[in-house]
Amino acid sequence: MSNRGMLIVLSGPSGVGKGTVRQAMLKDKDQNFKYSISMTTRNKRPGEVDGVDYFFRSKMEFESEIENGGMLEYAKYVDHYYGTPLRYVNETLESGTDVFLEIEVNGAMQVRKKCPDGVFIFLTPPDLVTLRDRIVKRGTDDAATIEKRLEKARSEIKMMQNYDYAVVNDKVELAVHRIEKIIESEHLRVPRVIDIYKKMIGVVNR
Ligand SMILES: Nc1nc2c(ncn2[C@@H]2O[C@H](COP(=O)(O)OP(=O)(O)O)[C@@H](O)[C@H]2O)c(=O)[nH]1
Ligand SMILES: Nc1ncnc2c1ncn2[C@@H]1O[C@H](COP(=O)(O)OP(=O)(O)O)[C@@H](O)[C@H]1O
């Protein structure tokens, strides 16, 4: 209800279900946020579409975006760049619409510094065995990459303490419900609505 949109950041270890949860949230007709499509230098997976899942770019193109100040944040993850184009986020927030980022922890911490009033949510697996099973089941990574991702998952889970909320992804619909409740509550925080009430008091006093 404040004029500016709210920035919602979702992180969590690889394979925890961030993409699945995000897609389920986007399908919900009652949601009001826009998803910010990231830019990456990693290869397209089967079924992925440029400009829908990611903006797939070369290393050179990505680095030139960084130099031109076009990224809100970026990080290297398992040998590739991933980052959030700045302009879409700014324009959408300015228009009063919430923006949803699904990014890894280093990028999220950059965003936290630039946008301290954002809402930072960490999606956790019920346990590490479940996490491994999900990565294997997804079938998008070879054995070496799975090991790298699991190793990284352990260090990522330690970063949970830098987030505002921890949401366990036991069942997709439950995780989605928890995140939607968080967003709803965050919109009611007094610092976000105070301007509206100041205006109201101004009208009443006249
Ligand atoms: N910092 C940052 N991380 C991102 C961005 N987009 C995606 N990621 C993260 O990069 C990691 C790898 O993504 P991806 O290769 O699609 O694999 P998956 O999410 O594990 O299936 C995940 O943790 C994503 O959340 C971004 O724009 N910035
Ligand atoms: N709550 C859940 N229960 C069971 N399987 C899940 C759940 N959430 C996601 N998955 C499955 O786990 C795998 C990894 O999910 P994905 O969304 O690709 O994770 P991430 O984007 O975090 O890397 C996929 O095969 C997905 O279908």
Side-chain angles (χ1 to χ4, degrees):
M1 286 195 293
S2 82
N3 294 335
R4 203 175 148 80
M6 192 167 78
L7 189 60
I8 304 147
V9 179
L10 182 73
S11 301
S14 177
V16 70
K18 299 180 296 298
T20 307
V21 166
R22 180 234 305 162
Q23 274 167 14
M25 289 182 71
L26 285 169
K27 274 193 206 130
D28 184 346
K29 287 189 188 68
D30 293 333
Q31 63 78 18
N32 285 316
F33 61 78
K34 296 277 187 199
Y35 173 64
S36 160
I37 300 167
S38 295
M39 192 178 285
T40 185
T41 58
R42 86 145 158 74
N43 292 330
K44 224 189 272 178
R45 292 175 185 156
E48 286 185 331
V49 178
D50 184 34
V52 175
D53 299 286
Y54 280 105
F55 296 110
F56 294 96
R57 295 290 180 267
S58 68
K59 188 165 177 265
M60 232 170 83
E61 287 168 328
F62 199 107
E63 287 175 345
S64 108
E65 276 300 331
I66 298 172
E67 263 174 44
N68 295 335
M71 307 306 285
L72 168 63
E73 60 74 33
Y74 69 93
K76 266 210 163 158
Y77 184 92
V78 192
D79 307 332
H80 286 290
Y81 281 122
Y82 293 82
T84 305
L86 177 63
R87 197 208 280 187
Y88 179 79
V89 172
N90 270 346
E91 288 178 358
T92 310
L93 291 176
E94 283 298 321
S95 78
T97 302
D98 293 352
V99 175
F100 187 91
L101 305 184
E102 188 229 292
I103 61 177
E104 54 71 63
V105 292
N106 294 309
M109 292 307 102
Q110 295 168 41
V111 178
R112 174 133 237 174
K113 280 198 194 117
K114 290 183 183 169
C115 314
D117 59 346
V119 183
F120 293 78
I121 304 171
F122 195 87
L123 195 65
T124 68
D127 51 71
L128 278 183
V129 176
T130 309
L131 182 64
R132 187 196 198 94
D133 288 349
R134 285 184 190 167
I135 299 177
V136 171
K137 199 185 88 191
R138 186 173 62 185
T140 52
D141 301 299
D142 58 31
T145 308
I146 290 173
E147 286 320 308
K148 273 193 191 174
R149 285 185 186 271
L150 275 174
E151 194 48 49
K152 199 144 182 109
R154 288 190 191 92
S155 62
E156 283 172 336
I157 290 171
K158 283 189 205 140
M159 298 285 284
M160 189 203 285
Q161 56 191 313
N162 299 311
Y163 285 73
D164 302 314
Y165 296 92
V167 168
V168 63
N169 180 20
D170 39 11
K171 288 204 160 62
V172 176
E173 57 281 14
L174 289 180
V176 167
H177 184 70
R178 291 171 188 132
I179 294 171
E180 287 176 347
K181 289 284 169 206
I182 292 169
I183 295 173
E184 202 181 316
S185 305
E186 281 288 332
H187 269 291
L188 303 179
R189 285 174 66 90
V190 169
R192 286 193 212 280
V193 295
I194 194 78
D195 285 348
I196 294 165
Y197 287 95
K198 276 183 185 159
K199 273 184 208 150
M200 193 190 283
I201 295 162
V203 171
V204 169
N205 284 348
R206 227 181 270 157

